[in-house]
Amino acid sequence: ELKVEQNPLFLSMQEGKNYTIYCNYSTTSDRLYWYRQDPGKSLESLFVLLSNGAVKQEGRLMASLDTKARLSTLHITAAVHDLSATYFCAVAPTFSGTYKYIFGTGTRLKVLA
Amino acid sequence: DTGVSQNPRHKITKRGQNVTFRCDPISEHNRLYWYRQTLGQGPEFLTYFQNEAQLEKSRLLSDRFSAERPKGSFSTLEIQRTEQGDSAMYLCASSSLASMNTEAFFGQGTRLTVV
């Protein structure tokens, strides 16, 4: 059974600091997704990582994928309060054309002013 | 086309009542997915359709749950005899079979509260 684990589960950090969220998954997959979710809202797509070594950056967030280690990271640079949210990684089965995502447990990020 | 649309956005119901949610996918998306997200957890896959055919159902989908996509366009998810444990956000997503498509797109969700 495919499992996806994130750590940390909770993260409280000061504005201006850097931090990394880790996403480990248990079986072969070459498609990894990062989402942001604000309280009571749906999922906002952040990054789609489709190959080993993929790195994508948007603003203060950078995501990478190592399929051999079955690990993805979401790095936060110089955090600001607006980044406070819950972040999920999700893995889809090695390509079958379906998006039956398996989501991680989520990392609840709180950026303190 | 403005994306995946879900209705209603919020639903409060008494335990034992039946509820039905609707999802309108992005036009021409062949595949439609339902997920459930309980408080503090990540979304969990429930079921998916390719056109009108329901191709897979999670064991999370008890006998009280039924999903349909009668004409391969919109889908409905019905919960019969609701229980307090059914309280959750129900998310719908859709995707295309086109090779350039690399992800499913989520709607805004329907938040169900069973009292």
Side-chain angles (χ1 to χ4, degrees):
Chain A
E1 181 184 345
L2 176 58
K3 292 184 179 179
V4 181
E5 294 182 343
Q6 286 180 236
N7 69 84
L9 298 182
F10 299 95
L11 177 56
S12 180
M13 56 191 298
Q14 297 287 329
E15 277 194 329
K17 298 294 187 182
N18 304 335
Y19 209 84
T20 300
I21 299 171
Y22 297 88
C23 174
N24 291 89
Y25 54 97
S26 64
T27 193
T28 303
S29 177
D30 53 5
R31 298 185 293 164
L32 193 291
Y33 303 82
W34 284 97
Y35 291 91
R36 168 181 172 145
Q37 188 174 43
D38 292 297
K41 303 294 185 182
S42 186
L43 300 168
E44 175 189 350
S45 178
L46 294 176
F47 299 107
V48 178
L49 303 171
L50 299 176
S51 61
N52 185 42
V55 177
K56 291 194 175 180
Q57 183 164 4
E58 181 71 34
R60 301 175 186 275
L61 300 177
M62 183 173 71
S64 66
L65 177 61
D66 181 343
T67 58
K68 294 180 181 178
R70 298 178 184 171
L71 170 69
S72 180
T73 60
L74 180 66
H75 186 72
I76 303 160
T77 301
V80 293
H81 180 71
D82 286 351
L83 290 179
S84 297
T86 299
Y87 293 84
F88 291 97
C89 64
V91 175
T94 298
F95 190 75
S96 64
T98 65
Y99 295 95
K100 178 187 165 186
Y101 294 127
I102 307 297
F103 283 84
T105 46
T107 296
R108 188 176 299 175
L109 171 65
K110 185 173 183 179
V111 181
L112 305 172
Chain B
D1 185 35
T2 56
V4 179
S5 177
Q6 292 188 245
N7 288 287
R9 296 289 303 278
H10 303 275
K11 178 71 177 179
I12 300 175
T13 191
K14 291 183 179 180
R15 189 174 52 188
Q17 297 294 306
N18 299 344
V19 294
T20 300
F21 312 138
R22 176 176 171 130
C23 171
D24 288 89
I26 294 171
S27 296
E28 300 177 357
H29 272 193
N30 312 85
R31 288 184 170 162
L32 186 148
Y33 310 79
W34 285 99
Y35 290 81
R36 179 176 70 185
Q37 184 179 22
T38 52
L39 198 61
Q41 302 296 317
E44 296 173 293
F45 169 80
L46 291 179
T47 188
Y48 93 93
F49 292 83
Q50 180 167 310
N51 300 316
E52 66 275 9
Q54 188 173 17
L55 295 186
E56 187 170 348
K57 293 193 291 186
S58 162
R59 59 178 180 271
L60 294 174
L61 213 64
S62 77
D63 291 345
R64 297 184 298 104
F65 287 70
S66 63
E68 295 182 343
R69 194 182 183 199
K71 296 183 179 179
S73 56
F74 73 91
S75 175
T76 58
L77 178 67
E78 181 184 15
I79 309 174
Q80 297 182 327
R81 304 181 303 281
T82 52
E83 301 173 356
Q84 286 189 318
D86 297 330
S87 295
M89 172 81 87
Y90 290 84
L91 295 165
C92 176
S94 70
S95 69
S96 167
L97 281 170
S99 59
M100 71 285 292
N101 180 232
T102 58
E103 64 180 308
F105 297 88
F106 285 86
Q108 293 303 303
T110 294
R111 179 164 296 283
L112 172 66
T113 302
V114 181
V115 298

